[in-house]
Amino acid sequence: IGVPLSVWQIQNEDNMGLFEAGISKPDEMHKLERMIQPTIGIFTNIGQAHDENFESQQAKINEKLKLFTNCSKVIYCKDYLDIHDSIQQPVVSGVELSTPLTQSTNQSNFFTWSRKSKADLQIGRIAKQEHETELQGIYKNKFINIRIPFTDEASIENAIHCWALMLYLDYENEIIAHRMELLSPVAMRLEMKEGINNCSIINDSYNSDIGSLTIALDFINQ
């Protein structure tokens, strides 16, 4: 019920809605696609959550891809090879999809970013400092950069997805860079707190799975 509750918040004066859609078992995503009817899709990543309800990782990816059936643009990271290969295929779970996924040869339907290979947004240097990270990239043959007030890998990846979306929407990088610096932590997501006896506490109770524990341990190691 989270998606319809979010969609119902759209007002007449709004010109954009941003919605997160997640699934826990097969045959759920097509229902969310009908509710949201997204025109732009962002495939963030694929983790281990709800693996027990799918016969394979590929089956879970295919289910998630149903959200993008009628999107005019799909944004994703090419470094996740299983996602990249699936997006380039014209068939998901035996069903031939409409644009953009059927048009695997039409790269204008995709906006990609990568740390390893050629992409629309090519990520170069990632410089982590004590409380912030500088990200450098190449977009349309120009060097660009932003700074974000986070150092953990999950936040860096999320920020790059946002960066890619705003570039696709033709925002000037100067505007993007200014707004990225104003980001603030989400409650219960990798909150650093001081404990007793010179201890540090990572409050990441928003998530509760092995993946988030790995991220929290990496964060506290830094």
Side-chain angles (χ1 to χ4, degrees):
I1 62 174
V3 166
L5 287 174
S6 298
V7 171
W8 276 333
Q9 295 182 50
I10 297 177
Q11 303 297 318
N12 289 334
E13 61 270 19
D14 295 330
N15 55 31
M16 177 178 287
L18 178 62
F19 305 100
E20 180 183 17
I23 47 95
S24 59
K25 57 185 179 181
D27 301 321
E28 288 184 336
M29 190 59 90
H30 73 280
K31 300 174 185 177
L32 300 184
E33 194 279 334
R34 291 172 61 192
M35 296 178 197
I36 303 173
Q37 299 179 28
T39 55
I40 301 173
I42 302 178
F43 200 135
T44 51
N45 56 44
I46 191 77
Q48 297 175 327
H50 310 298
D51 275 355
E52 67 277 6
N53 296 329
F54 294 88
E55 60 183 22
S56 66
Q57 185 88 317
Q58 186 62 55
K60 187 164 67 171
I61 292 174
N62 289 346
E63 179 68 24
K64 288 176 178 285
L65 283 174
K66 293 177 183 179
L67 180 64
F68 308 135
T69 301
N70 296 297
C71 286
S72 60
K73 186 70 68 174
V74 177
I75 298 170
Y76 69 98
C77 175
K78 291 176 65 176
D79 299 340
Y80 292 106
L81 296 181
D82 46 1
I83 294 176
H84 175 64
D85 292 342
S86 298
I87 285 178
Q88 299 296 326
Q89 293 175 358
V91 176
V92 171
S93 296
V95 178
E96 185 170 331
L97 300 178
S98 58
T99 57
L101 299 182
T102 53
Q103 302 179 7
S104 58
T105 59
N106 186 356
Q107 293 304 309
S108 64
N109 292 315
F110 310 114
F111 189 107
T112 61
W113 67 268
S114 174
R115 305 186 193 193
K116 303 175 182 178
S117 59
K118 185 177 180 180
D120 295 295
L121 174 59
Q122 179 70 51
I123 304 300
R125 183 167 175 264
I126 298 179
K128 296 182 181 181
Q129 301 173 14
E130 186 174 358
H131 299 295
E132 65 178 14
T133 302
E134 180 183 7
L135 305 173
Q136 296 181 348
I138 300 175
Y139 178 64
K140 292 184 176 180
N141 298 318
K142 293 183 179 179
F143 287 96
I144 56 177
N145 62 72
I146 60 172
R147 290 180 180 270
I148 58 173
F150 309 104
T151 59
D152 63 283
E153 286 297 319
S155 295
I156 291 171
E157 187 170 292
N158 289 338
I160 297 174
H161 275 113
C162 294
W163 196 9
L165 173 63
M166 295 183 75
L167 289 171
Y168 164 67
L169 294 174
D170 287 331
Y171 280 87
E172 295 292 335
N173 194 67
E174 291 77 10
I175 295 175
I176 300 173
H178 172 68
R179 295 182 180 180
M180 285 288 187
E181 290 182 340
L182 302 178
L183 290 173
S184 59
V186 177
M188 299 184 295
R189 298 293 286 267
L190 294 176
E191 285 183 305
M192 174 73 82
K193 297 181 179 292
E194 291 187 10
I196 62 173
N197 300 325
N198 199 31
C199 289
S200 296
I201 300 172
I202 303 297
N203 179 16
D204 195 38
S205 49
Y206 190 97
N207 286 325
S208 182
D209 55 43
I210 294 297
S212 63
L213 176 60
T214 301
I215 292 170
L217 291 173
D218 174 70
F219 178 67
I220 202 166
N221 268 336
Q222 296 178 35

